[in-house]
Amino acid sequence: MKSEFILALNQIGTERSLPREVIAKVVEHALVQSFRKHANIMNSQQVAATVDLHSGEMRLFVEKEVVEEVLDERTEISLAEARKHKPDAELGDCIMVDVTPKDLGRIVAQNTKQLIIQKLREAERDFQYNQFVEREGEIVRGMVQSMRGGDVVVNLGRVEATLPRKEQIPGERYEPQQHIRAYVVEVKRSGRGPQITLSRAHKNFLRRLLEVEVPEIANGLVEIKAIVREAGSRSKVAVAALQPNVDPVGTCIGQRGSRIQNIINELNGEKIDVIEWNADPTIYIAKALGPAKVLSVHPIDAKSALVIVPNDQLSLAIGREGQNARLAARLTGWRIDIKSSSEALGEALTKISDDPDLQAWMGEEIIQAMPALRELLVRQRTLPTAFTQEEFALVRRVVDGVFAYETARRSSVKAESATPVQRETAQSEQRQHARQAALAAIPKAAYNMPISELGLSPRVAQHILAAGIASVGQLLEHGIRGDEGFLSIEGIGPKALSEIKQALDKVLGHWQVANAAQPASAISATAESSLASSESEAAQETTEQAQQYFIEAMNEAFGEIGNSGPDAKDKS
């Protein structure tokens, strides 16, 4: 039958949520220390104890040496007695001998009570520390217990945690008995138990909330690429799908915004922008500046970009006190300079007027549109309004064309004194900027043709229109980057991609090949004229390669329609 002492230990273990193994080790350690003192056992002598919390049995063992003649019973035992404990014992062996006294219960009651209580407290602190140190980086639930100088004390059960003022969401109010969720930032060991620091302002608190609300993230179908957060105000999250046919943004937002709304409610109304991550920094930066609509993105160097936005989108792109631009820069890791479309267009028109080579580069169509562009510029400076689809496309063609021209000219000058490695790097940069210049070669008729005339299925057309693409010309702008450009449209997968390419081939087959090829030819001729005046053959070669890539990009964009006719639709 169990003793009252064992029953009390079991009750203490239940109350303090301590495993039975921990309690047994505490009692064994206390028994050993108490018996050493009671029996005057030397420190060099090994003592062990066993405790069975089920039966209540406690045993003590002391190490003794097997000798022929016993001179000290505390440390020695005869061979005959030794073999009663261990049949194969020999002289000179050291064996553990059961020395459990009959009055062990009295010894425990007198000498180990306080020691056991002390050890149980230490064991409880160690157990709590080990329990919570494993939960660092996770979300815990607790109840607000009190306030201490701006810090919030949170009850997590049998342990208290602290939510410092700097880790609180600005503007949040906490009341006693209020249940909250928080992120475990750090767990430290101390003499009074674990010191647990919580946070509701940490960016990983938002990460864990997304993992809870969005099963696809926890299952590995969607990956969180980056998070930036200004707690209580706004956050931006970049996500990417790890499997095809998965919409990462729609998955995180949920049906009718149900998933993201739960997180917004938990964060007391903090705005959360979920964007799709893209390996192309120009696309990534444009999306990171959402909800503002971006006209174009021009990389300046390795980690710096100039972003052009329409006048009516400038304040939205910058954000209150620069918050939107600041978060976008932190999310992408790029330095972002934002310029209004009026400023960029004004500079572009001035450069075109002053540079005959640039006029030839831009083409006759842009030159003829100069009066209308100047009128648009005056109107936008007087009263900024949203661009029409045609105005948006035309301004972007002008700004991107001038930027590509200047980039090619700078690269040509550098190529004169460049080493082979530097030449290769410059050519790589030219290829990137030449692809942007290919936008200017899209036929004007494409911008006058609505998406509805492509004959796409309602689902695919809806995804394209939802992305702000209203004309075939805008859709072809995505095609400049090849399949990746089409797939960057939210909701477009392999099947929809095939349908889009077939529809474009069918429509483009009705246009004259010259309409698609002329801008590239004009630019190629302009490049040859400009290069003829160059004194360096190396610079000429570099620019010619850039222009050749420009032509190749256009061929790729239009699906090689130069060889197409009535059978073009069968090539996709």
Side-chain angles (χ1 to χ4, degrees), residues 31-41 43 107 111:
L31 282 175
V32 168
Q33 287 191 323
S34 179
F35 185 71
R36 278 186 182 278
K37 183 177 180 180
H38 175 76
N40 195 22
I41 302 297
N43 291 334
I107 296 174
N111 303 317

Side-chain angles (χ1 to χ4, degrees), residues 30 34 37-38 106-116:
S34 179
K37 183 177 180 180
H38 175 76
R106 180 181 61 81
I107 296 174
V108 170
Q110 290 180 351
N111 303 317
T112 64
K113 178 181 177 181
Q114 193 62 34
L115 185 59
I116 288 176

Side-chain angles (χ1 to χ4, degrees), residues 201 222 266:
V222 175
E266 176 66 36

Side-chain angles (χ1 to χ4, degrees), residues 226 277-282 284-285 297-307 325 328-337 429 432-433:
W277 178 86
N278 197 292
D280 186 340
T282 59
Y284 189 26
I285 291 171
V297 179
H298 299 153
I300 304 300
D301 52 36
K303 281 292 181 179
S304 178
L306 174 65
V307 179
R330 288 169 53 194
L331 185 72
T332 59
W334 282 60
R335 182 179 181 273
I336 299 175
D337 295 324
E429 293 176 355
Q432 179 181 359
H433 297 310

Side-chain angles (χ1 to χ4, degrees), residues 446-462:
Y447 292 96
N448 298 325
M449 184 176 186
I451 292 294
S452 58
E453 294 187 15
L454 281 178
L456 297 171
S457 64
R459 184 186 67 82
V460 176
Q462 183 178 2

Side-chain angles (χ1 to χ4, degrees), residues 207 210-211 214 216-227 237-243 246 248-249 251-252 274-277:
R207 179 185 294 271
L210 282 166
E211 291 173 354
V214 184
E216 288 82 356
I217 294 178
N219 296 336
L221 298 178
V222 175
E223 178 184 6
I224 299 176
K225 286 287 189 177
I227 295 179
V237 184
V239 294
L242 300 182
Q243 291 189 8
V246 175
V249 176
T251 297
C252 294
V274 182
I275 68 169
E276 184 175 4
W277 178 86

Side-chain angles (χ1 to χ4, degrees), residues 61-131:
F61 300 88
V62 175
E63 182 185 42
K64 293 186 178 183
E65 183 182 2
V66 181
V67 297
E68 291 184 1
E69 183 179 355
V70 178
L71 299 177
D72 186 350
E73 292 185 354
R74 294 178 304 168
T75 60
E76 297 174 344
I77 186 174
S78 65
L79 180 61
E81 286 295 324
R83 288 183 173 174
K84 292 180 181 179
H85 299 279
K86 187 179 180 183
D88 59 348
E90 299 291 342
L91 291 174
D93 291 348
C94 291
I95 65 172
M96 299 299 293
V97 180
D98 188 344
V99 294
T100 306
K102 294 181 180 180
D103 58 347
L104 180 61
R106 180 181 61 81
I107 296 174
V108 170
Q110 290 180 351
N111 303 317
T112 64
K113 178 181 177 181
Q114 193 62 34
L115 185 59
I116 288 176
I117 292 175
Q118 178 185 346
K119 293 297 181 182
L120 281 174
R121 288 174 180 169
E122 293 177 0
E124 182 180 17
R125 288 194 292 267
D126 290 341
F127 180 75
Q128 290 173 346
Y129 172 80
N130 293 330
Q131 183 182 26

